[in-house]
Amino acid sequence: MTSADLPNLDEQAFEKPCLDRLLPAQRATHAPRILLLYGSVRERSYSRLLTEEAARLLRTMGAETRIFDPRGLPLPDGAPEDHPKVKALRELAQWAEGMVWTSPERHGAMTSVLKAQIDWIPLSVGVVRPTQGKTLAVMQVSGGSQSFNAVNQMRVLGRWMRMVTIPNQSSVAKAFAEFDEAGRMKPSSYYERVVDVMEELVKFTLLTRDCSDYLVSRYSERRESAQQLSDRVNQRSI
């Protein structure tokens, strides 16, 4: 079967998957750039402690990390876009090649602190999409028994932000018992899962970062862009 057998297909916008574009000969050699967000501003925030533990692991695995401090970030639409904290967050989102989102579970959901950070990251800035095609790992902490409500919510958001959310995830139950007085995570199966998740995130980031634009290129959007360009050309010729 060829494209000629599909009369409703726009052949100019259609393209077959190309292995050379998925596996480019030239690969980036810099350390993977990972932004970590967490969802609590408490003095002893377990989502922050888990985030800091994840950042240590990522650096050990060769990544470059940045942790965003959500304190002082205004509510979405509650401040101009040039607010210093908003600008800092958006610049980090563009800098990053992958992200880690970590939230406590509150009332069966992710916290407003983390959601506000995600809401301040736009789907597009001009022609740049700050999150599209970038990798994402999700983790949560709970005060009681293990739950997956927050990570499931974050997966939905990751998809909405057009991110490549890795299969593995971490949910730490009774987080107050998993960290010592110095804020370091104790040896446990929960800790080992965090190692698994960070390892997988680095692998997926290395695998996809050189072809992320190609991975998320969509026929419908290419067709729309081509139509808009054609309309502009036609208007100029009138």
Side-chain angles (χ1 to χ4, degrees):
M1 181 177 290
T2 67
S3 58
D5 298 308
L6 303 169
N8 294 326
L9 194 69
D10 184 337
E11 292 192 34
Q12 289 185 328
F14 176 73
E15 57 182 35
K16 293 180 180 179
C18 175
L19 191 60
D20 288 340
R21 295 187 66 183
L22 286 169
L23 301 172
Q26 296 296 322
R27 289 278 183 173
T29 58
H30 63 270
R33 300 192 295 262
I34 308 296
L35 170 63
L36 299 95
L37 308 179
Y38 60 91
S40 171
V41 294
R42 290 179 176 176
E43 183 177 350
R44 185 170 171 85
S45 162
Y46 293 108
S47 63
R48 175 177 57 79
L49 295 180
L50 184 58
T51 294
E52 290 172 349
E53 201 68 46
R56 294 185 190 99
L57 289 166
L58 288 167
R59 290 193 292 270
T60 301
M61 295 173 187
E64 182 180 359
T65 64
R66 298 284 187 276
I67 298 176
F68 179 75
D69 182 352
R71 291 175 297 180
L73 181 72
L75 289 174
D77 305 322
E81 294 182 358
D82 62 355
H83 185 283
K85 292 292 289 191
V86 175
K87 286 180 63 178
L89 175 58
R90 291 186 169 189
E91 288 170 1
L92 285 171
Q94 294 194 41
W95 165 85
E97 296 170 325
M99 294 190 193
V100 180
W101 296 349
T102 305
S103 178
E105 181 171 322
R106 186 168 296 165
H107 299 310
M110 64 189 295
T111 64
S112 59
V113 174
L114 184 62
K115 184 60 162 60
Q117 294 171 74
I118 298 168
D119 285 347
W120 270 119
I121 302 173
L123 281 173
S124 62
V125 179
V127 297
V128 177
R129 296 185 184 272
T131 56
Q132 178 167 289
K134 298 181 179 183
T135 52
L136 171 66
V138 294
M139 302 193 294
Q140 75 169 73
V141 293
S142 302
S145 59
Q146 192 174 42
S147 172
F148 300 93
N149 291 318
V151 288
N152 288 339
Q153 272 196 324
M154 288 186 280
R155 284 188 176 278
V156 171
L157 282 171
R159 183 172 70 247
W160 186 256
M161 301 296 282
R162 296 186 174 185
M163 303 184 77
V164 180
T165 308
I166 67 171
N168 214 339
Q169 62 188 25
S170 170
S171 175
V172 180
K174 297 182 179 178
F176 59 87
E178 296 301 322
F179 294 86
D180 62 23
E181 289 301 314
R184 295 303 304 269
M185 196 170 185
K186 300 174 183 177
S188 68
S189 60
Y190 290 131
Y191 177 77
E192 291 179 2
R193 174 57 66 89
V194 176
V195 178
D196 290 345
V197 173
M198 294 306 109
E199 185 180 74
E200 190 170 286
L201 176 65
V202 172
K203 289 177 181 177
F204 269 75
T205 304
L206 290 171
L207 182 67
T208 61
R209 67 179 180 179
D210 294 304
C211 57
S212 60
D213 289 341
Y214 180 62
L215 283 171
V216 294
S217 175
R218 299 181 177 183
Y219 163 78
S220 59
E221 293 179 349
R222 293 194 301 271
R223 186 176 183 279
E224 181 181 6
S225 297
Q227 184 61 53
Q228 290 174 349
L229 178 60
S230 176
D231 291 344
R232 288 197 295 270
V233 171
N234 290 336
Q235 287 174 359
R236 292 195 193 101
S237 63
I238 294 175

